[in-house]
């Protein structure tokens, strides 16, 4: 069976890191005898430049046909002065919404080889391995009404709406419980139920769904406390379930715990497990085109793509093992190297992972 993979290189370092991940996928396909068909399209700033739209129709058509999508990153200073509705980030929000990618998985795990990179004390983060499950197509990011308006007396007023219905909460909660089943059986749901009605409903629905998963240990935490606990004792968490805005914030904190945001992959899935996979890091325009970017987050995103959308677990395992192998061998891109003199280029890192896949399998 063939699988269609759409590449969306995007902006900044996106094209460089996606290219290395594509090479790794091609090498993996050869070893595991997979039939992968690649397409490529524009999203973000590059799409604004070429099509006048951050999520153009040509991209939408290919995205809807794809079994899975691999994205680099979007955005950069070039487009920062555009009005909100025309910015590269809107392309990302539009594709999430168009494909109903409501389930965002953001694992944060500390590679023992990189323990020194964390800004927290090594014993607080050694062995850290948590999963943030962020609702991605609802909440205040998409709620209506929204806007900035000027009243009759000339005073401007900005507003957004935080809204979730019970269906949206129930479907993401169910998936989070299922992920907890495959992990250590603990789920912490993060809300602000002491203040916000929408998250009071969130807490009620998550509690209702928990009846279907009696073996999972469910806890609830207010978001301010969760932010504190993440930097105080991060290993208390296994799966963290939360809404769109809180998930945006807490996932950056969780990423930083590992000290190497250049290592972290993510997946955004819909109900049919079709998904968009992207590194957690951004477009890093300051180093774009310089061969300095770490491609491992995108390569690990490609592994998630094989696991979750193509159901090719062994091929995903092989990529993750190859990444471990190159780290053990001491290869480091600039972001994780101890000195710039020792840093490997983006391409050299890609070469090493490709070689490891071929030799280990
Ligand atoms: C993320 C990013 C996006 C978000 C931006 C770029 C729209 O911060 O994926 O976390 O806020 O969701
Ligand atoms: Mg974010």
């Amino acid at each position: 069976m063939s699988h269609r993979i759409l590449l969306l290189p995007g902006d900044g370092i996106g094209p460089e890191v996606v290219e290395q991940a594509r090479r790794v996928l091609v090498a993996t396909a050869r070893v595991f005898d997979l039939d992968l068909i690649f397409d490529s399209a524009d999203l973000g700033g590059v799409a604004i430049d070429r099509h006048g739209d951050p999520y153009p129709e040509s991209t939408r058509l290919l995205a809807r046909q794809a079994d899975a999508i691999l994205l680099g990153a979007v955005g950069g200073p070039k487009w920062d002065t555009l009005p909100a509705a025309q910015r590269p980030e809107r392309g990302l929000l539009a594709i999430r919404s168009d494909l109903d990618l409501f389930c965002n998985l953001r694992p944060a795990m500390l590679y023992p080889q990189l323990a020194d990179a964390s800004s927290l004390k090594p014993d607080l983060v050694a062995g850290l391995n948590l999963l943030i499950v962020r609702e991605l197509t609802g909440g205040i990011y998409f709620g209506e009404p929204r806007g900035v308006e000027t009243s009759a007396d000339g005073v401007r007023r900005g507003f957004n709406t935080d809204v979730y219905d019970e269906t949206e909460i129930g479907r993401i909660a169910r998936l989070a419980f299922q992920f907890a089943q495959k992990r250590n059986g603990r789920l912490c749901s993060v809300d602000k139920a002491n203040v916000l009605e929408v998250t009071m409903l969130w807490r009620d629905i998550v509690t209702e769904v928990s009846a279907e998963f009696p073996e999972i240990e469910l806890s609830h935490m207010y978001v301010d406390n969760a932010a504190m606990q993440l930097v105080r004792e991060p290993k208390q968490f296994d799966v963290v379930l939360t809404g769109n805005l809180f998930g945006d914030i807490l996932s950056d904190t969780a990423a930083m715990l590992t000290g190497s945001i250049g290592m972290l992959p993510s997946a955004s899935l819909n109900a049919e497990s079709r998904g968009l996979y992207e590194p957690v890091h951004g477009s890093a325009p300051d180093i774009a085109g310089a061969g300095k970017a770490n491609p491992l987050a995108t390569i690990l995103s490609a592994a998630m793509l094989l696991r979750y959308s193509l159901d090719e677990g062994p091929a995903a395992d092989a990529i993750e093992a190859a990444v471990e192998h190159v780290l053990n061998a001491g290869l480091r891109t600039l972001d994780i190297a101890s000195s710039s003199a020792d840093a490997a280029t983006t391409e050299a890192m890609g070469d090493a992972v490709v070689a490891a896949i071929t030799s280990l399998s």
Side-chain angles (χ1 to χ4, degrees):
M1 191 172 84
S2 66
H3 303 288
R4 295 197 84 90
I5 298 179
L6 178 62
L7 305 175
L8 300 175
D11 307 319
I13 59 173
E16 297 159 66
V17 293
V18 167
E19 172 55 15
Q20 297 313 316
R22 185 195 63 79
R23 293 178 59 219
V24 169
L25 280 170
V26 168
T28 310
R30 204 174 298 130
V31 171
F32 287 85
D33 202 18
L34 310 178
D35 185 7
L36 305 183
I37 301 168
F38 292 94
D39 283 310
S40 185
D42 296 325
L43 185 84
V46 63
I48 296 173
D49 291 350
R50 291 190 187 147
H51 313 268
D53 181 346
Y55 182 45
E57 188 58 28
S58 48
T59 301
R60 185 190 312 264
L61 288 175
L62 287 169
R64 288 184 175 178
Q65 286 163 15
D67 296 306
I69 301 172
L70 186 66
L71 167 68
V74 300
K78 182 176 175 192
W79 305 280
D80 274 352
T81 49
L82 290 173
Q86 293 162 31
R87 290 169 56 118
E89 292 79 1
R90 278 298 165 99
L92 191 55
L93 297 175
I95 193 171
R96 287 174 180 170
S97 176
D98 185 40
L99 302 180
D100 202 15
L101 305 171
F102 66 92
C103 176
N104 184 217
L105 304 177
R106 297 191 168 184
M109 58 177 284
L110 188 90
Y111 284 84
Q113 299 90 338
L114 304 178
D116 292 343
S118 177
S119 49
L120 293 193
K121 296 190 191 85
D123 61 310
L124 284 182
V125 290
L128 178 77
N129 184 342
L130 61 87
L131 175 67
I132 296 194
V133 179
R134 169 189 178 195
E135 201 292 328
L136 201 61
T137 52
I140 198 165
Y141 270 54
F142 293 92
E144 300 282 351
R146 62 190 297 160
V148 178
E149 61 185 23
T150 309
S151 66
D153 49 6
V155 177
R156 282 175 301 164
R157 175 174 167 271
F159 51 97
N160 289 89
T161 305
D162 197 0
V163 53
Y164 275 114
D165 69 33
E166 53 187 325
T167 318
E168 291 173 291
I169 303 167
R171 67 179 182 171
I172 188 79
R174 227 160 250 118
L175 286 181
F177 278 104
Q178 286 165 7
F179 284 109
Q181 279 177 325
K182 294 187 199 124
R183 294 174 49 101
N184 293 326
R186 285 180 293 121
L187 177 65
C188 178
S189 174
V190 172
D191 60 42
K192 189 70 186 173
N194 50 344
V195 178
L196 302 176
E197 284 82 354
V198 57
T199 73
M200 293 172 193
L201 179 68
W202 179 280
R203 189 175 281 219
D204 287 349
I205 302 297
V206 172
T207 305
E208 273 173 42
V209 171
S210 73
E212 299 165 29
F213 301 89
E215 74 285 15
I216 302 298
E217 185 190 313
L218 172 67
S219 58
H220 301 276
M221 206 181 268
Y222 298 139
V223 63
D224 48 351
N225 186 25
M228 183 173 74
Q229 296 300 333
L230 264 179
V231 292
R232 193 184 76 89
E233 200 197 331
K235 282 189 272 181
Q236 70 186 280
F237 296 107
D238 179 18
V239 179
V240 175
L241 164 66
T242 190
N244 208 341
L245 180 62
F246 299 160
D248 179 48
I249 300 165
L250 295 180
S251 63
D252 266 25
T253 307
M256 192 59 223
L257 295 174
T258 71
S260 41
I261 195 167
M263 298 291 302
L264 297 178
S266 76
S268 306
L269 307 175
N270 68 16
E272 293 87 49
S273 294
R274 293 199 316 132
L276 176 115
Y277 299 80
E278 58 178 312
V280 168
H281 63 68
S283 60
D286 51 319
I287 58 163
K292 292 179 178 169
N294 185 348
L296 292 179
T298 316
I299 289 170
L300 291 167
S301 298
M304 291 184 91
L305 178 157
L306 290 169
R307 179 173 295 121
Y308 293 119
S309 284
L310 308 191
D311 204 16
E312 297 287 353
D317 294 342
I319 293 180
E320 288 164 358
V323 168
E324 291 263 357
H325 180 83
V326 301
L327 290 176
N328 286 335
L331 208 64
R332 304 279 186 272
T333 42
L334 190 61
D335 56 316
I336 50 177
S338 45
S339 82
S340 59
D342 301 331
T345 64
T346 309
E347 192 176 352
M349 188 59 103
D351 288 344
V353 178
V354 166
I357 283 174
T358 317
S359 69
L360 294 177
S361 305

